[in-house]
Amino acid sequence: MFTVRYIEEIDSTNSELKRQAMKGAPSGAVLVARRQTAGRGRMGRQFFSPADAGLYMSVLFRPVSLTDAGLLTTFTAVAVARVLSSHGVDVGIKWVNDIVADGKKVCGILAESGIHKGQPFAIVGIGVNCNETAFPEELSEIAVSLEQLTGRTWDSRALAEELLAALDEVCPQDPKDPQALMNEYRERSVTVGKQVRVHPHGGEPYDGYAVSITDEGGLVIRTPDDGEHTVTSGEVSVRVQ
Ligand code: BTN
């Protein structure tokens, strides 16, 4: 189902695959780079992407229903968590799509969508910190690598293949049993049941309690005035209690 191309260097595998999608690249096209010069994360952030240290991979899904595009990342997070857990790494999913271990991010997922000849497509980018032995100062408190977690070197190509096999099984664009995947996502969540701080896009942060995750992947927050609402975008940080 996937056709993988390995390249040395690119600005961002998501950007390049999007360019290819706009020229008609087929569903299942995958791009893996040794290094990104302008790796991107959510909320306009950079994604630290030095040569050989991490896995930088993007996958093209087409066509997709734009309403379900958000769930692509949710289900991709389940696939990534399954693979890392199968290697004995104790990971959880921090809403919405960070894979964390020891309270730090080991993998980020960035989904982007576009339209080509009237057909929506989605690019899901997966960045795994594999063999970093140290991070820049601004990341050292929030990022961790598989090498730091396990004390051994990881083969990023082998990991890419395992992740693609897991994605094939989950089939995030058209899962056989989305309800079971949502339940697995909930079970793997490290956000539900915690006091959190919500950072809305361009709005003031506020505190609340993460009650549950809806079938659409939204995070239900109870605020101190006992109001409940669902967060569908922005960022949520788990508060140390
Ligand atoms: C995040 O943590 O906010 C998401 C990070 C996603 C990083 C991956 S690396 C491969 C792909 N290409 C990018 O530029 N970003 C994604």
Side-chain angles (χ1 to χ4, degrees):
M1 173 195 176
F2 297 111
T3 310
V4 191
R5 217 180 115 218
Y6 292 93
I7 55 171
E8 278 296 304
E9 178 182 299
I10 196 71
D11 52 352
S12 146
T13 53
N14 264 34
S15 302
E16 174 58 20
L17 200 52
K18 191 166 190 174
R19 292 189 285 267
Q20 293 179 12
M22 295 306 285
K23 292 184 201 153
S27 191
V30 177
L31 192 61
V32 180
R34 269 186 71 201
R35 168 172 185 255
Q36 298 185 116
T37 54
R40 296 184 287 107
R42 291 180 69 236
M43 321 272 288
R45 284 196 282 257
Q46 294 181 348
F47 189 77
F48 181 61
S49 311
D52 297 328
L55 169 62
Y56 319 115
M57 174 166 87
S58 297
V59 185
L60 172 59
F61 295 101
R62 74 189 329 166
V64 288
S65 135
L66 282 184
T67 45
D68 290 344
L71 285 176
L72 267 177
T73 43
T74 306
F75 298 150
T76 298
V78 170
V80 176
R82 276 186 191 176
V83 170
L84 297 183
S85 303
S86 76
H87 285 281
V89 187
D90 186 12
V91 293
I93 304 173
K94 181 178 143 317
W95 192 90
V96 54
N97 55 9
D98 285 347
I99 309 297
V100 296
D102 272 358
K104 295 181 178 181
K105 176 148 112 181
V106 67
C107 167
I109 298 167
L110 175 68
E112 298 178 294
S113 50
I115 296 184
H116 173 245
K117 296 196 172 161
Q119 293 286 339
F121 65 83
I123 311 277
V124 177
I126 303 172
V128 187
N129 302 328
C130 293
N131 295 317
E132 291 85 347
T133 48
F135 287 91
E137 201 182 334
E138 67 277 13
L139 295 179
S140 62
E141 292 297 309
I142 53 175
V144 69
S145 70
L146 292 173
E147 146 99 50
Q148 288 172 325
L149 290 164
T150 61
R152 71 170 174 91
T153 304
W154 286 65
D155 177 342
S156 61
R157 275 204 188 198
L159 184 60
E161 279 159 28
E162 282 186 57
L163 290 177
L164 290 172
L167 276 177
D168 208 17
E169 204 172 305
V170 162
C171 196
Q173 78 281 28
D174 186 22
K176 276 194 210 74
D177 191 348
Q179 195 60 54
L181 283 177
M182 272 319 299
N183 287 340
E184 187 174 341
Y185 180 91
R186 290 180 183 108
E187 279 158 24
R188 293 184 182 275
S189 172
V190 295
T191 307
V192 170
K194 302 272 171 51
Q195 295 293 338
V196 297
R197 180 157 293 163
V198 182
H199 306 265
H201 274 303
E204 281 297 304
Y206 59 90
D207 293 342
Y209 175 80
V211 180
S212 60
I213 291 166
T214 67
D215 284 347
E216 294 72 38
L219 184 66
V220 181
I221 300 287
R222 186 183 306 134
T223 44
D225 60 2
D226 264 352
E228 253 185 35
H229 64 274
T230 302
V231 180
T232 56
S233 64
E235 186 98 322
V236 168
S237 53
V238 175
R239 296 180 61 210
V240 179
Q241 293 157 45

